[in-house]
Amino acid sequence: MTDGRQDAAVAVFAAHRNLLFTVAYEMLGSAADAEDVVQETWIRWASVDLDAVREHRAYLVQIATRQSLDRLRVLGRRKETYVGPWLPEPLLTAPDVTEDIELADSLSTAMLLVLETLTPTERAVFVLREVFDVSYDEIAAAVDKTPATVRQIARRARQHVDARRSRAVVSATQTRAVMDSFQRALETGDLQGMLDVLAPDVVLMSDGGGIKQAALRPIVGADSVVRFILGGTGKTEAAVTIDPIVLNGGPALRFRLDGVLDGVMAFQVENDRIAGLYFVRNPEKLTRVESETPLAAR
């Protein structure tokens, strides 16, 4: 490739890099694997004749999708031996991501866990169609199916997701208000204050990856969740500090022990109560919670 063509390839790739990372992350729930997909996409893109490519964005997304599908199968084998619940790798995101309601919803931990219940192809089709508005013809080329088959897969995946996702539409402002109440109660050890903001059937999932202490199974029920949280904070002699952040497009909390990062907690709020708590302590998954990760849906 001549220098001019190389420069053109670099410029096109750079313009779409954030989009490619976002596509891969939504499919994988892992920032590390998404970065690998982006690098593999670049390697393949660098050898492409740009003059033969009509739609650069569509072609790049096609490459990234195929690479993500390959990695999904590898990730599936990893999860089979994972210690305790597996949660997506959290991302510190810019506050303006919350303003893109569709993107923020698709990035939420709760939604990513729903996407985990789809087959790899269903997940790819759903993400590309529902989040990134990719045409059925372009998706068909990416997943090696006919457009008619892709439409069927999209309909099936949408029904599957709709049956499992929260039907309540909760704004970031509402979530933040509930989270603030939870934080105040946690910092002051206010047992009743915590119970007041937790749904009776709240579920807490904690991910230590076998490296940090965490519950090996989801904890269900407000009383049990409060006992688990207060039991954990009560055992440490370190100074616990909590600061509000934006994770995956939504309000969250970051925990430090004696100033050292210990974990992050994301929330799912329904009817002004916390219905889901997602606590990531696995240090291998905390590499993206100190500086913002740029994302893009277009």
Side-chain angles (χ1 to χ4, degrees):
M1 185 180 291
T2 64
D3 289 343
R5 288 180 178 272
Q6 181 73 19
D7 290 345
V10 170
V12 171
F13 185 82
H16 293 89
R17 192 189 191 287
N18 292 345
L19 168 66
L20 298 175
F21 175 87
T22 309
V23 168
Y25 176 76
E26 293 246 13
M27 287 186 60
L28 302 170
S30 164
D33 286 282
E35 284 290 1
D36 288 343
V37 165
V38 171
Q39 293 306 312
E40 290 164 358
T41 300
W42 161 249
I43 291 172
R44 285 159 179 74
W45 175 251
S47 62
V48 168
D49 179 3
L50 297 190
D51 293 336
V53 178
R54 186 172 60 181
E55 294 288 344
H56 293 162
R57 175 183 183 269
Y59 196 89
L60 283 165
V61 168
Q62 178 180 330
I63 298 174
T65 299
R66 288 177 173 172
Q67 296 304 311
S68 296
L69 282 170
D70 289 342
R71 285 201 166 255
L72 266 178
R73 298 179 180 96
V74 175
L75 271 176
R77 291 193 290 272
R78 271 193 243 157
K79 291 170 189 173
E80 290 174 0
T81 58
Y82 198 79
V83 178
W86 182 94
L87 289 175
E89 186 177 350
L91 305 177
L92 185 71
T93 50
D96 61 1
V97 173
T98 62
E99 298 172 9
D100 188 333
I101 297 174
E102 290 184 357
L103 178 60
D105 177 64
S106 70
L107 286 168
S108 70
T109 301
M111 175 57 79
L112 291 174
L113 287 174
V114 171
L115 295 181
E116 284 290 310
T117 64
L118 297 172
T119 68
T121 300
E122 286 174 341
R123 184 166 183 170
V125 170
F126 181 87
V127 165
L128 293 178
R129 183 62 186 167
E130 298 295 323
V131 182
F132 300 100
D133 197 29
V134 177
S135 72
Y136 288 112
D137 287 344
E138 291 171 351
I139 298 173
V143 300
D144 293 323
K145 306 286 185 183
T146 66
T149 299
V150 166
R151 287 178 182 274
Q152 293 176 347
I153 294 172
R155 182 169 58 254
R156 185 169 65 243
R158 192 179 306 113
Q159 291 172 343
H160 182 99
V161 170
D162 287 344
R164 288 161 177 78
R165 76 196 304 180
S166 171
R167 297 186 182 279
V169 178
V170 182
S171 69
T173 300
Q174 290 172 296
T175 299
R176 188 173 295 105
V178 175
M179 185 190 76
D180 289 345
S181 297
F182 175 83
Q183 181 181 353
R184 284 194 299 271
L186 181 57
E187 290 175 329
T188 59
D190 181 359
L191 173 62
Q192 189 57 50
M194 293 180 66
L195 289 171
D196 287 343
V197 296
L198 295 176
D201 56 351
V202 61
V203 177
L204 181 147
M205 297 178 66
S206 55
D207 181 341
I211 302 172
K212 287 286 193 74
Q213 184 175 359
L216 295 179
R217 291 181 297 277
I219 297 174
V220 182
D223 290 336
S224 298
V225 167
V226 169
R227 283 199 301 271
F228 175 80
I229 293 175
L230 293 182
T233 56
K235 290 178 182 178
T236 181
E237 297 180 357
V240 180
T241 54
I242 309 172
D243 60 301
I245 56 175
V246 177
L247 279 185
N248 290 57
L253 296 175
R254 182 168 52 200
F255 294 75
R256 300 185 192 276
L257 300 181
D258 286 338
V260 178
L261 178 65
D262 181 70
V264 294
M265 183 178 287
F267 300 81
Q268 181 183 7
V269 172
E270 297 178 8
N271 301 319
D272 293 324
R273 295 283 188 93
I274 297 172
L277 293 166
Y278 310 103
F279 191 24
V280 177
R281 296 192 70 211
N282 183 349
E284 294 178 353
K285 291 186 176 182
L286 296 176
T287 62
R288 297 282 186 134
V289 301
E290 298 280 32
S291 59
E292 293 177 1
T293 296
L295 301 170
R298 298 290 179 268

